[in-house]
Amino acid sequence: SQPGVQQSDRFAACDGEKARQTRRYQLTVIDILADYIRFRCESVTGLHPPVQPATLLRECNRIVGSMFVIFDGSMELMALTLLRLPPDRQHTLLLYPVFENVLTQAGTAPADYDTIPGYVRMLLCYKRWKSLVHGRDEKAAIDAHAIRLLPGRCPTVRHTSDLCFLRLLPPVPPGQRGAETRYLLVNDLFNLEHCIAQFRHHHRRTSVGGHTGSRDESTAKQQRDNGSNRQRHLVSVLACVR
């Protein structure tokens, strides 16, 4: 009946607005946490005499532990936080172990690497982690970990909103498409920081702006439920990290 349809539409609109509010809240928390990590990086690099390994380990564990608590183990939100951090090489002393700690645990949590946004997000995280080091062996170890985690090729388009993320990736030669992920990792094919900025722009637009393309209702409901659960678990950032 017409009244029933109208009521269903109102519920759907309400759910959509709640999901957008949750995403806005999460993005705000990411911004605050990224600023806090930057502050801790500045504090650590400014110590004289230089920070001791045990102190550095405690600092790293405090940051990573806080991220897991604040985001309820969501690898998506932790990866978005890593991409939000300013790429300052002077902060490598603390940033490297933070990236390592988060990204080496990526395979233990539920993830969306079989989607284009999830795949591109993690690819950029591993590329930024690599940018923190110079050694060939260290870079190769990061590549190997990423290749174990990510699918061998970029996932296929599912929604219209995937296209803006897909366009961030450079074209892959036909002979390399079977090992597309490896090819994208080991070659410097694009300006990393520009690509990250574009990714963050598209992510904010598609997740908060409501332009998510066509999605089946079960997927939409699952995302709303996940967002509601995580919002209940998000606690005061400063209370956790102090």
Side-chain angles (χ1 to χ4, degrees), residues 70-129:
I70 291 167
F71 296 132
D72 192 29
S74 167
M75 187 53 59
E76 175 193 358
L77 298 178
M78 288 188 285
L80 288 170
T81 303
L82 295 182
L83 294 180
R84 175 66 177 77
L85 295 171
D88 192 333
R89 280 192 172 274
Q90 293 182 336
H91 298 164
T92 298
L93 191 65
L94 183 55
L95 281 185
Y96 183 90
V98 168
F99 270 75
E100 180 181 38
N101 210 312
V102 172
L103 295 179
T104 54
Q105 298 185 60
T108 64
D112 59 350
Y113 313 144
D114 60 340
T115 69
I116 289 179
Y119 174 87
V120 175
R121 182 196 320 120
M122 292 306 292
L123 183 75
L124 293 177
C125 277
Y126 282 106
K127 296 282 281 188
R128 176 172 271 184
W129 183 16

Side-chain angles (χ1 to χ4, degrees), residues 12-84:
C14 182
D15 285 346
E17 181 55 32
K18 285 181 179 178
R20 286 190 289 274
Q21 288 177 357
T22 297
R23 299 302 285 179
R24 281 193 290 267
Y25 181 66
Q26 290 169 342
L27 290 172
T28 299
V29 174
I30 287 171
D31 288 343
I32 295 171
L33 187 54
D35 284 343
Y36 176 80
I37 295 172
R38 177 185 55 79
F39 168 73
R40 295 311 305 159
C41 285
E42 292 173 352
S43 300
V44 166
T45 56
L47 289 177
H48 298 285
V51 63
Q52 296 298 307
T55 303
L56 190 65
L57 179 62
R58 283 196 301 272
E59 192 71 54
C60 173
N61 288 342
R62 182 183 299 123
I63 290 172
V64 175
S66 298
M67 291 173 70
F68 271 88
V69 171
I70 291 167
F71 296 132
D72 192 29
S74 167
M75 187 53 59
E76 175 193 358
L77 298 178
M78 288 188 285
L80 288 170
T81 303
L82 295 182
L83 294 180
R84 175 66 177 77

Side-chain angles (χ1 to χ4, degrees), residues 162-173:
D162 290 346
L163 295 174
C164 59
F165 296 101
L166 182 63
R167 293 189 188 106
L168 295 177
L169 300 179
V172 176

